[in-house]
Amino acid sequence: LVCFGSSVLIFCEFLIYYVVIFQCRWPEVKGGAHLSEKETSALVLKALILADTHLLGEIKGHWLDKLRREWQMERSFQTALWLLQPDIVFILGDVFDEGKWSSPQAWADDVRRFRKMFKYPASTELVVVVGNHDIGFHYEMTAYKVDRFEKAFNFTSGKLITRKGINFVVVNSIAMEGDSCALCRSSEAKLAALSRRLNCSQQKPDPSNQRCRDAEKLPASEPILLQHYPLYRKSDAECSGEDSAPPEEKNIPFKEKYDVLSQEASQKLIWWFHPRLILSGHTHSACEVLHAGKIPEISVPSFSWRNRNNPSFIMGSITPTDFSLRKCFLPYESRVFAVYCAAGALLAILILARFQLLTPPFYFAQHLISKHKA
């Protein structure tokens, strides 16, 4: 009985993550099928993208809920790193659930727990984007909250990350309010300056172009935007898939600057960067939309079982000119509970049989059958 119970526990809390994530495979980019493993490693950037981990804090977080959710996310993340060995990991905001309220001591404790759960080897890079639960919505955002997030995660709005000739632009979408607040002005100024550098890098050298004469030369690859808020869309009505929003929520209109960026801020980002891909989080549900008829945006679902029964992450194989994405689902929590319930029922039967407590009902049934035959 002890061995059976221990085996079920080990499977549900440890081995199941290997069984499920082992089935995930990196997608192939065009021409990637003809490359050797060494050439693929040199040319293709393997990226894991996840969002909305919402580590619980001291105010609303129950200790049992924290213990359960953090164990699930830690095992999923560490298993994915071990099996898939990505080059880089992006977390698209809302790392914490109570960052907007946290005292300095609570913040330090949350950061310590995060670093333990999401530790990574030297061969992998981790990039964390800011979300509204990390620093608050626009009306709650302060320089102090932004500064402590930047120090903890080396985050800067308007930061350019270039790996293997691929440009990633990190955006503080909470600062895209458009009301000329000090943090908003600073963030937009950095994005505008970066836009100029990227656009100049994509143009052919022209001595008469004074605007680009002193601009730093960057890879000519069209950038990928990384942010927490999605670009403007009316609702999730057009979203599909098993991890999209529930039917009763799909037609609820989104509120600008709260659920999604404003139309003005969205147009700014598209006009500034002409991105080839936009990756966002915030809604906790999956969605894929096209902006301007050609720019895809992927809303990444929550990585926490507290928000979904079927969390997932995105696997991306990216080159300077192309990309391919594939979703990897984590174990369904309902299935884990079903395994526990079935194991518990079987254990109960075995215990009753061991102490011969099931014998009388069997004899009673046998007696009824014999009487009926007579």
Side-chain angles (χ1 to χ4, degrees):
L1 293 177
V2 170
C3 288
F4 177 77
S6 300
S7 299
V8 171
L9 187 68
I10 291 171
F11 175 77
C12 290
E13 300 301 330
F14 190 79
L15 293 179
I16 192 170
Y17 300 100
Y18 289 89
V19 172
V20 173
I21 297 176
F22 180 76
Q23 302 173 52
C24 300
R25 294 288 182 271
W26 288 103
E28 289 185 356
V29 290
K30 290 178 182 177
H34 307 293
L35 299 174
S36 67
E37 186 176 341
K38 188 175 180 180
E39 290 173 322
T40 300
S41 178
L43 298 175
V44 180
L45 184 75
K46 294 180 178 179
L48 287 188
I49 306 109
L50 52 111
D52 295 275
T53 53
H54 283 274
L55 270 67
L56 293 171
E58 64 177 5
I59 300 173
K60 296 170 63 178
H62 188 276
W63 68 269
L64 183 59
D65 197 7
K66 288 168 69 173
L67 179 68
R68 177 68 184 158
R69 303 313 179 192
E70 290 180 10
W71 170 256
Q72 289 172 314
M73 288 190 284
E74 180 177 351
R75 288 311 329 141
S76 297
F77 185 76
Q78 296 304 325
T79 303
L81 288 188
W82 190 79
L83 290 175
L84 303 174
Q85 298 182 357
D87 300 311
I88 194 166
V89 177
F90 298 110
I91 302 181
L92 303 179
D94 278 1
V95 177
F96 306 113
D97 196 55
E98 300 177 7
K100 54 187 178 180
W101 302 320
S102 294
S103 64
Q105 184 178 353
W107 173 263
D109 181 62
D110 290 345
V111 171
R112 178 190 58 78
R113 285 169 28 237
F114 171 85
R115 287 175 175 161
K116 173 183 173 294
M117 292 168 56
F118 293 93
K119 60 187 176 183
Y120 53 95
S123 59
T124 300
E125 183 178 359
L126 179 68
V127 176
V128 181
V129 180
V130 72
N132 58 289
H133 276 263
D134 301 315
I135 59 173
F137 285 98
H138 177 261
Y139 61 89
E140 301 170 303
M141 180 177 62
T142 64
Y144 168 74
K145 294 176 186 176
V146 174
D147 184 59
R148 73 178 181 182
F149 188 91
E150 289 180 350
K151 286 180 178 177
F153 298 105
N154 191 27
F155 169 85
T156 307
S157 182
K159 182 178 181 180
L160 176 70
I161 299 170
T162 302
R163 301 291 180 270
K164 296 186 178 183
I166 305 158
N167 296 317
F168 297 94
V169 176
V170 179
V171 179
N172 178 359
S173 45
I174 295 91
M176 296 296 293
E177 189 78 5
D179 64 350
S180 298
C181 73
L183 290 170
C184 300
R185 286 199 309 270
S186 172
S187 179
E188 290 199 18
K190 291 177 183 176
L191 289 170
L194 178 57
S195 164
R196 173 176 165 271
R197 290 168 57 199
L198 285 168
N199 289 332
C200 287
S201 298
Q202 293 175 23
Q203 296 175 10
K204 293 180 179 179
D206 184 0
S208 63
N209 189 347
Q210 299 293 327
R211 187 170 177 268
C212 294
R213 175 176 292 180
D214 301 323
E216 178 189 356
K217 200 68 177 174
L218 299 170
S221 172
E222 292 179 324
I224 295 174
L225 291 190
L226 305 170
Q227 57 193 55
H228 182 62
Y229 284 163
L231 295 192
Y232 175 78
R233 61 176 182 260
K234 291 182 179 179
S235 67
D236 271 351
E238 302 301 320
C239 306
S240 59
E242 59 183 300
D243 57 348
S244 60
E248 63 272 14
E249 296 179 9
K250 282 190 174 182
N251 293 307
I252 298 176
F254 281 150
K255 182 180 176 182
E256 291 186 50
K257 305 179 184 180
Y258 188 86
D259 299 308
V260 292
L261 285 178
S262 65
Q263 296 185 58
E264 180 186 358
S266 301
Q267 287 300 323
K268 270 186 183 178
L269 289 173
I270 290 175
W271 183 71
W272 277 341
F273 295 105
H274 303 284
R276 55 181 171 137
L277 174 66
I278 301 163
L279 296 167
S280 60
H282 188 56
T283 63
H284 297 178
S285 300
C287 190
E288 183 174 350
V289 294
L290 277 180
H291 297 285
K294 58 181 180 179
I295 302 172
E297 177 182 1
I298 307 296
S299 289
V300 182
S302 175
F303 191 69
S304 173
W305 279 263
R306 193 166 183 259
N307 299 320
R308 307 195 57 81
N309 176 47
N310 57 343
S312 61
F313 57 85
I314 303 292
M315 303 168 62
S317 298
I318 309 171
T319 67
T321 57
D322 198 11
F323 64 86
S324 183
L325 305 177
R326 181 174 292 165
K327 188 170 293 181
C328 181
F329 282 97
L330 302 176
Y332 281 48
E333 190 168 47
S334 57
R335 294 174 183 172
V336 174
F337 284 152
V339 172
Y340 273 129
C341 290
L346 183 57
L347 270 176
I349 293 172
L350 291 174
I351 291 171
L352 290 174
R354 174 68 181 81
F355 293 102
Q356 299 183 347
L357 296 176
L358 292 180
T359 305
F362 288 152
Y363 278 137
F364 179 70
Q366 187 178 13
H367 174 71
L368 286 179
I369 293 170
S370 302
K371 186 177 180 182
H372 176 71
K373 286 181 177 179

